[in-house]
mmCIF file of all heavy atoms in Angstrom:
data_model
loop_
_atom_site.group_PDB
_atom_site.id
_atom_site.type_symbol
_atom_site.label_atom_id
_atom_site.label_comp_id
_atom_site.label_asym_id
_atom_site.label_seq_id
_atom_site.Cartn_x
_atom_site.Cartn_y
_atom_site.Cartn_z
ATOM 1 N N HIS G 1 0.853 -1.168 0.011
ATOM 2 C CA HIS G 1 -0.018 0.003 0.020
ATOM 3 C C HIS G 1 0.885 1.251 0.013
ATOM 4 O O HIS G 1 0.557 2.229 -0.718
ATOM 5 C CB HIS G 1 -0.926 0.020 1.203
ATOM 6 C CG HIS G 1 -1.856 1.189 1.277
ATOM 7 N ND1 HIS G 1 -2.857 1.360 0.426
ATOM 8 C CD2 HIS G 1 -1.885 2.201 2.127
ATOM 9 C CE1 HIS G 1 -3.501 2.491 0.732
ATOM 10 N NE2 HIS G 1 -2.922 3.032 1.736
ATOM 11 N N ARG G 2 1.969 1.221 0.766
ATOM 12 C CA ARG G 2 2.859 2.358 0.860
ATOM 13 C C ARG G 2 3.519 2.621 -0.559
ATOM 14 O O ARG G 2 3.638 3.742 -1.048
ATOM 15 C CB ARG G 2 3.911 2.159 1.910
ATOM 16 C CG ARG G 2 4.990 3.243 1.906
ATOM 17 C CD ARG G 2 5.956 3.121 3.027
ATOM 18 N NE ARG G 2 5.297 3.760 4.203
ATOM 19 C CZ ARG G 2 4.976 3.161 5.313
ATOM 20 N NH1 ARG G 2 5.233 1.955 5.534
ATOM 21 N NH2 ARG G 2 4.430 3.766 6.308
ATOM 22 N N ARG G 3 3.959 1.526 -1.187
ATOM 23 C CA ARG G 3 4.521 1.622 -2.545
ATOM 24 C C ARG G 3 3.524 2.214 -3.546
ATOM 25 O O ARG G 3 3.862 3.025 -4.370
ATOM 26 C CB ARG G 3 4.986 0.290 -3.027
ATOM 27 C CG ARG G 3 6.471 0.065 -2.915
ATOM 28 C CD ARG G 3 6.922 -1.167 -3.633
ATOM 29 N NE ARG G 3 6.022 -2.294 -3.528
ATOM 30 C CZ ARG G 3 6.231 -3.317 -2.660
ATOM 31 N NH1 ARG G 3 7.305 -3.344 -1.906
ATOM 32 N NH2 ARG G 3 5.378 -4.311 -2.595
ATOM 33 N N ASN G 4 2.237 1.763 -3.481
ATOM 34 C CA ASN G 4 1.209 2.259 -4.400
ATOM 35 C C ASN G 4 0.966 3.702 -4.186
ATOM 36 O O ASN G 4 0.605 4.372 -5.179
ATOM 37 C CB ASN G 4 -0.056 1.423 -4.197
ATOM 38 C CG ASN G 4 0.081 0.055 -4.663
ATOM 39 O OD1 ASN G 4 1.031 -0.373 -5.416
ATOM 40 N ND2 ASN G 4 -0.846 -0.830 -4.264
ATOM 41 N N ARG G 5 1.120 4.263 -3.021
ATOM 42 C CA ARG G 5 0.827 5.628 -2.785
ATOM 43 C C ARG G 5 2.008 6.534 -3.188
ATOM 44 O O ARG G 5 1.874 7.742 -3.225
ATOM 45 C CB ARG G 5 0.555 5.903 -1.289
ATOM 46 C CG ARG G 5 -0.799 5.242 -0.889
ATOM 47 C CD ARG G 5 -1.261 5.724 0.450
ATOM 48 N NE ARG G 5 -1.471 7.191 0.382
ATOM 49 C CZ ARG G 5 -1.778 7.873 1.410
ATOM 50 N NH1 ARG G 5 -1.964 7.299 2.534
ATOM 51 N NH2 ARG G 5 -1.984 9.166 1.339
ATOM 52 N N GLY G 6 3.108 5.918 -3.488
ATOM 53 C CA GLY G 6 4.265 6.710 -3.942
ATOM 54 C C GLY G 6 4.773 7.642 -2.854
ATOM 55 O O GLY G 6 4.974 7.275 -1.692
ATOM 56 N N SER G 7 5.001 8.930 -3.214
ATOM 57 C CA SER G 7 5.630 9.872 -2.294
ATOM 58 C C SER G 7 4.663 10.201 -1.153
ATOM 59 O O SER G 7 5.080 10.706 -0.161
ATOM 60 C CB SER G 7 6.034 11.171 -2.992
ATOM 61 O OG SER G 7 4.935 11.767 -3.593
ATOM 62 N N LEU G 8 3.370 9.993 -1.362
ATOM 63 C CA LEU G 8 2.376 10.185 -0.291
ATOM 64 C C LEU G 8 2.335 9.088 0.740
ATOM 65 O O LEU G 8 1.679 9.231 1.744
ATOM 66 C CB LEU G 8 0.940 10.434 -0.903
ATOM 67 C CG LEU G 8 0.783 11.588 -1.817
ATOM 68 C CD1 LEU G 8 -0.540 11.591 -2.394
ATOM 69 C CD2 LEU G 8 1.137 12.942 -1.100
ATOM 70 N N GLY G 9 3.031 7.981 0.458
ATOM 71 C CA GLY G 9 2.966 6.819 1.281
ATOM 72 C C GLY G 9 3.759 7.003 2.587
ATOM 73 O O GLY G 9 3.598 6.268 3.550
ATOM 74 N N GLY G 10 4.650 7.994 2.668
ATOM 75 C CA GLY G 10 5.387 8.227 3.864
ATOM 76 C C GLY G 10 6.588 7.355 3.909
ATOM 77 O O GLY G 10 6.876 6.507 3.127
ATOM 78 N N ARG G 11 7.381 7.570 4.993
ATOM 79 C CA ARG G 11 8.637 6.839 5.181
ATOM 80 C C ARG G 11 8.307 5.586 5.980
ATOM 81 O O ARG G 11 7.559 5.592 6.921
ATOM 82 C CB ARG G 11 9.576 7.722 5.978
ATOM 83 C CG ARG G 11 10.938 7.120 6.203
ATOM 84 C CD ARG G 11 11.917 8.157 6.732
ATOM 85 N NE ARG G 11 11.298 8.928 7.822
ATOM 86 C CZ ARG G 11 11.622 8.752 9.129
ATOM 87 N NH1 ARG G 11 12.557 7.862 9.459
ATOM 88 N NH2 ARG G 11 11.106 9.456 10.052
ATOM 89 N N PRO G 12 8.882 4.448 5.573
ATOM 90 C CA PRO G 12 8.610 3.183 6.274
ATOM 91 C C PRO G 12 9.227 3.215 7.676
ATOM 92 O O PRO G 12 10.266 3.894 7.824
ATOM 93 C CB PRO G 12 9.218 2.112 5.394
ATOM 94 C CG PRO G 12 10.218 2.808 4.542
ATOM 95 C CD PRO G 12 9.729 4.251 4.364
ATOM 96 N N PRO G 13 8.570 2.632 8.659
ATOM 97 C CA PRO G 13 9.187 2.634 10.011
ATOM 98 C C PRO G 13 10.437 1.769 10.057
ATOM 99 O O PRO G 13 10.598 0.805 9.301
ATOM 100 C CB PRO G 13 8.075 1.930 10.852
ATOM 101 C CG PRO G 13 7.235 1.120 9.913
ATOM 102 C CD PRO G 13 7.326 1.848 8.599
ATOM 103 N N GLY G 14 11.386 2.187 10.827
ATOM 104 C CA GLY G 14 12.625 1.431 10.954
ATOM 105 C C GLY G 14 12.322 0.117 11.680
ATOM 106 O O GLY G 14 11.397 0.002 12.468
ATOM 107 N N PHE G 15 13.090 -0.866 11.413
ATOM 108 C CA PHE G 15 12.923 -2.232 11.966
ATOM 109 C C PHE G 15 14.296 -2.774 12.297
ATOM 110 O O PHE G 15 15.153 -2.897 11.405
ATOM 111 C CB PHE G 15 12.156 -3.089 11.020
ATOM 112 C CG PHE G 15 12.098 -4.567 11.527
ATOM 113 C CD1 PHE G 15 11.377 -4.898 12.628
ATOM 114 C CD2 PHE G 15 12.821 -5.534 10.823
ATOM 115 C CE1 PHE G 15 11.347 -6.202 13.065
ATOM 116 C CE2 PHE G 15 12.728 -6.853 11.257
ATOM 117 C CZ PHE G 15 12.030 -7.158 12.354
ATOM 118 N N ASP G 16 14.504 -3.125 13.561
ATOM 119 C CA ASP G 16 15.767 -3.755 13.965
ATOM 120 C C ASP G 16 15.479 -5.199 14.369
ATOM 121 O O ASP G 16 14.760 -5.436 15.356
ATOM 122 C CB ASP G 16 16.360 -2.942 15.150
ATOM 123 C CG ASP G 16 17.752 -3.477 15.540
ATOM 124 O OD1 ASP G 16 18.172 -4.464 15.009
ATOM 125 O OD2 ASP G 16 18.344 -2.873 16.441
ATOM 126 N N ARG G 17 16.027 -6.104 13.634
ATOM 127 C CA ARG G 17 15.774 -7.574 13.848
ATOM 128 C C ARG G 17 16.263 -7.976 15.245
ATOM 129 O O ARG G 17 15.550 -8.798 15.890
ATOM 130 C CB ARG G 17 16.430 -8.373 12.766
ATOM 131 C CG ARG G 17 16.096 -9.821 12.744
ATOM 132 C CD ARG G 17 16.572 -10.573 11.533
ATOM 133 N NE ARG G 17 16.123 -9.992 10.294
ATOM 134 C CZ ARG G 17 14.990 -10.360 9.734
ATOM 135 N NH1 ARG G 17 14.188 -11.253 10.306
ATOM 136 N NH2 ARG G 17 14.599 -9.809 8.530
ATOM 137 N N GLU G 18 17.335 -7.486 15.697
ATOM 138 C CA GLU G 18 17.883 -7.919 17.019
ATOM 139 C C GLU G 18 16.904 -7.447 18.132
ATOM 140 O O GLU G 18 16.668 -8.219 19.049
ATOM 141 C CB GLU G 18 19.259 -7.372 17.232
ATOM 142 C CG GLU G 18 19.943 -7.809 18.496
ATOM 143 C CD GLU G 18 20.090 -9.318 18.601
ATOM 144 O OE1 GLU G 18 20.241 -10.038 17.560
ATOM 145 O OE2 GLU G 18 19.931 -9.843 19.696
ATOM 146 N N ILE G 19 16.469 -6.218 18.092
ATOM 147 C CA ILE G 19 15.497 -5.723 19.132
ATOM 148 C C ILE G 19 14.272 -6.569 19.056
ATOM 149 O O ILE G 19 13.667 -6.932 20.110
ATOM 150 C CB ILE G 19 15.203 -4.211 18.855
ATOM 151 C CG1 ILE G 19 16.413 -3.443 19.197
ATOM 152 C CG2 ILE G 19 14.078 -3.813 19.788
ATOM 153 C CD1 ILE G 19 16.289 -1.957 18.828
ATOM 154 N N TYR G 20 13.736 -6.953 17.862
ATOM 155 C CA TYR G 20 12.579 -7.762 17.724
ATOM 156 C C TYR G 20 12.811 -9.116 18.392
ATOM 157 O O TYR G 20 11.920 -9.624 19.079
ATOM 158 C CB TYR G 20 12.230 -7.912 16.251
ATOM 159 C CG TYR G 20 10.966 -8.649 16.007
ATOM 160 C CD1 TYR G 20 9.712 -8.126 16.377
ATOM 161 C CD2 TYR G 20 10.964 -9.907 15.392
ATOM 162 C CE1 TYR G 20 8.525 -8.830 16.195
ATOM 163 C CE2 TYR G 20 9.760 -10.615 15.217
ATOM 164 C CZ TYR G 20 8.596 -10.016 15.588
ATOM 165 O OH TYR G 20 7.403 -10.730 15.441
ATOM 166 N N ARG G 21 13.946 -9.730 18.190
ATOM 167 C CA ARG G 21 14.232 -10.981 18.835
ATOM 168 C C ARG G 21 14.248 -10.921 20.329
ATOM 169 O O ARG G 21 13.700 -11.769 21.046
ATOM 170 C CB ARG G 21 15.620 -11.500 18.336
ATOM 171 C CG ARG G 21 15.549 -12.122 16.965
ATOM 172 C CD ARG G 21 16.914 -12.713 16.554
ATOM 173 N NE ARG G 21 16.808 -13.197 15.196
ATOM 174 C CZ ARG G 21 17.684 -13.234 14.312
ATOM 175 N NH1 ARG G 21 18.910 -12.707 14.624
ATOM 176 N NH2 ARG G 21 17.545 -13.762 13.126
ATOM 177 N N ARG G 22 14.903 -9.840 20.902
ATOM 178 C CA ARG G 22 14.850 -9.639 22.359
ATOM 179 C C ARG G 22 13.465 -9.456 22.906
ATOM 180 O O ARG G 22 13.118 -9.979 23.896
ATOM 181 C CB ARG G 22 15.762 -8.464 22.721
ATOM 182 C CG ARG G 22 17.190 -8.744 22.607
ATOM 183 C CD ARG G 22 17.997 -7.629 23.166
ATOM 184 N NE ARG G 22 19.142 -7.394 22.340
ATOM 185 C CZ ARG G 22 19.665 -6.203 22.124
ATOM 186 N NH1 ARG G 22 19.132 -5.177 22.673
ATOM 187 N NH2 ARG G 22 20.709 -6.091 21.358
ATOM 188 N N ARG G 23 12.666 -8.675 22.132
ATOM 189 C CA ARG G 23 11.263 -8.414 22.594
ATOM 190 C C ARG G 23 10.470 -9.693 22.593
ATOM 191 O O ARG G 23 9.703 -10.028 23.509
ATOM 192 C CB ARG G 23 10.560 -7.439 21.620
ATOM 193 C CG ARG G 23 9.158 -7.186 21.942
ATOM 194 C CD ARG G 23 8.582 -6.208 21.021
ATOM 195 N NE ARG G 23 7.174 -6.004 21.333
ATOM 196 C CZ ARG G 23 6.160 -6.001 20.516
ATOM 197 N NH1 ARG G 23 6.394 -6.267 19.252
ATOM 198 N NH2 ARG G 23 4.926 -5.870 20.915
ATOM 199 N N ASN G 24 10.619 -10.564 21.567
ATOM 200 C CA ASN G 24 10.020 -11.822 21.467
ATOM 201 C C ASN G 24 10.339 -12.703 22.625
ATOM 202 O O ASN G 24 9.502 -13.345 23.261
ATOM 203 C CB ASN G 24 10.322 -12.489 20.140
ATOM 204 C CG ASN G 24 9.575 -13.734 19.894
ATOM 205 O OD1 ASN G 24 8.755 -14.175 20.656
ATOM 206 N ND2 ASN G 24 9.768 -14.363 18.721
ATOM 207 N N THR G 25 11.668 -12.791 22.969
ATOM 208 C CA THR G 25 12.133 -13.611 24.118
ATOM 209 C C THR G 25 11.469 -13.107 25.382
ATOM 210 O O THR G 25 10.947 -13.908 26.181
ATOM 211 C CB THR G 25 13.648 -13.502 24.223
ATOM 212 O OG1 THR G 25 14.216 -13.917 22.973
ATOM 213 C CG2 THR G 25 14.139 -14.358 25.356
ATOM 214 N N PHE G 26 11.433 -11.805 25.579
ATOM 215 C CA PHE G 26 10.855 -11.236 26.827
ATOM 216 C C PHE G 26 9.359 -11.562 26.877
ATOM 217 O O PHE G 26 8.846 -11.981 27.926
ATOM 218 C CB PHE G 26 11.032 -9.721 26.857
ATOM 219 C CG PHE G 26 10.359 -9.054 27.995
ATOM 220 C CD1 PHE G 26 10.976 -9.068 29.255
ATOM 221 C CD2 PHE G 26 9.151 -8.465 27.826
ATOM 222 C CE1 PHE G 26 10.318 -8.494 30.322
ATOM 223 C CE2 PHE G 26 8.517 -7.812 28.889
ATOM 224 C CZ PHE G 26 9.079 -7.890 30.127
ATOM 225 N N GLU G 27 8.620 -11.392 25.805
ATOM 226 C CA GLU G 27 7.237 -11.633 25.787
ATOM 227 C C GLU G 27 6.904 -13.134 26.061
ATOM 228 O O GLU G 27 5.945 -13.434 26.759
ATOM 229 C CB GLU G 27 6.550 -11.231 24.463
ATOM 230 C CG GLU G 27 6.426 -9.735 24.370
ATOM 231 C CD GLU G 27 5.686 -9.328 23.128
ATOM 232 O OE1 GLU G 27 5.323 -10.247 22.331
ATOM 233 O OE2 GLU G 27 5.517 -8.127 22.901
ATOM 234 N N ARG G 28 7.685 -13.998 25.512
ATOM 235 C CA ARG G 28 7.489 -15.465 25.776
ATOM 236 C C ARG G 28 7.735 -15.789 27.213
ATOM 237 O O ARG G 28 6.939 -16.516 27.828
ATOM 238 C CB ARG G 28 8.395 -16.316 24.876
ATOM 239 C CG ARG G 28 7.951 -16.355 23.461
ATOM 240 C CD ARG G 28 9.005 -17.073 22.600
ATOM 241 N NE ARG G 28 8.707 -17.027 21.246
ATOM 242 C CZ ARG G 28 8.280 -18.088 20.577
ATOM 243 N NH1 ARG G 28 8.137 -19.256 21.152
ATOM 244 N NH2 ARG G 28 7.921 -17.990 19.315
ATOM 245 N N CYS G 29 8.756 -15.226 27.816
ATOM 246 C CA CYS G 29 9.067 -15.445 29.209
ATOM 247 C C CYS G 29 7.932 -14.924 30.099
ATOM 248 O O CYS G 29 7.449 -15.538 31.021
ATOM 249 C CB CYS G 29 10.388 -14.807 29.576
ATOM 250 S SG CYS G 29 10.736 -14.914 31.341
ATOM 251 N N PHE G 30 7.441 -13.719 29.736
ATOM 252 C CA PHE G 30 6.360 -13.121 30.516
ATOM 253 C C PHE G 30 5.130 -13.967 30.427
ATOM 254 O O PHE G 30 4.410 -14.189 31.453
ATOM 255 C CB PHE G 30 6.096 -11.659 30.040
ATOM 256 C CG PHE G 30 5.244 -10.911 30.948
ATOM 257 C CD1 PHE G 30 5.668 -10.399 32.129
ATOM 258 C CD2 PHE G 30 3.892 -10.712 30.624
ATOM 259 C CE1 PHE G 30 4.829 -9.641 32.982
ATOM 260 C CE2 PHE G 30 3.043 -9.951 31.412
ATOM 261 C CZ PHE G 30 3.544 -9.442 32.644
ATOM 262 N N ASN G 31 4.814 -14.467 29.246
ATOM 263 C CA ASN G 31 3.649 -15.335 29.121
ATOM 264 C C ASN G 31 3.784 -16.650 29.934
ATOM 265 O O ASN G 31 2.785 -17.165 30.400
ATOM 266 C CB ASN G 31 3.328 -15.612 27.622
ATOM 267 C CG ASN G 31 2.768 -14.360 26.970
ATOM 268 O OD1 ASN G 31 2.105 -13.603 27.637
ATOM 269 N ND2 ASN G 31 3.067 -14.296 25.695
ATOM 270 N N HIS G 32 4.971 -17.189 30.005
ATOM 271 C CA HIS G 32 5.186 -18.383 30.814
ATOM 272 C C HIS G 32 4.933 -18.031 32.268
ATOM 273 O O HIS G 32 4.377 -18.848 33.031
ATOM 274 C CB HIS G 32 6.593 -18.887 30.633
ATOM 275 C CG HIS G 32 6.849 -19.651 29.340
ATOM 276 N ND1 HIS G 32 6.102 -20.848 29.030
ATOM 277 C CD2 HIS G 32 7.720 -19.502 28.353
ATOM 278 C CE1 HIS G 32 6.532 -21.271 27.905
ATOM 279 N NE2 HIS G 32 7.501 -20.460 27.436
ATOM 280 N N LEU G 33 5.393 -16.911 32.727
ATOM 281 C CA LEU G 33 5.160 -16.463 34.071
ATOM 282 C C LEU G 33 3.689 -16.285 34.366
ATOM 283 O O LEU G 33 3.240 -16.653 35.486
ATOM 284 C CB LEU G 33 5.878 -15.157 34.399
ATOM 285 C CG LEU G 33 7.415 -15.244 34.618
ATOM 286 C CD1 LEU G 33 7.998 -13.849 34.717
ATOM 287 C CD2 LEU G 33 7.740 -16.037 35.857
ATOM 288 N N LYS G 34 2.912 -15.848 33.399
ATOM 289 C CA LYS G 34 1.519 -15.693 33.638
ATOM 290 C C LYS G 34 0.749 -17.008 33.775
ATOM 291 O O LYS G 34 -0.423 -17.042 34.144
ATOM 292 C CB LYS G 34 0.884 -14.882 32.454
ATOM 293 C CG LYS G 34 1.285 -13.429 32.542
ATOM 294 C CD LYS G 34 0.548 -12.466 31.650
ATOM 295 C CE LYS G 34 -0.094 -12.955 30.458
ATOM 296 N NZ LYS G 34 -0.638 -11.983 29.516
ATOM 297 N N GLY G 35 1.469 -18.126 33.456
ATOM 298 C CA GLY G 35 0.914 -19.420 33.704
ATOM 299 C C GLY G 35 0.748 -19.762 35.179
ATOM 300 O O GLY G 35 -0.024 -20.621 35.533
#
């Protein structure tokens, strides 16, 4: 959708794979604790 809008589509959000992995690990641990 962003590509189709061209210059009006805005700048894509930054994405850091390492931060995402850490966040995933934290969320899984937290969900285990909620057990």
Side-chain angles (χ1 to χ4, degrees):
H1 181 69
R2 175 175 274 118
R3 259 193 317 262
N4 290 342
R5 291 193 62 185
S7 62
L8 297 176
R11 184 169 47 106
F15 171 68
D16 185 355
R17 189 172 299 276
E18 185 58 34
I19 291 175
Y20 184 68
R21 283 185 179 143
R22 285 190 220 143
R23 177 180 180 228
N24 187 358
T25 303
F26 175 81
E27 285 185 0
R28 285 173 184 251
C29 177
F30 192 75
N31 286 330
H32 283 301
L33 284 174
K34 288 191 335 187

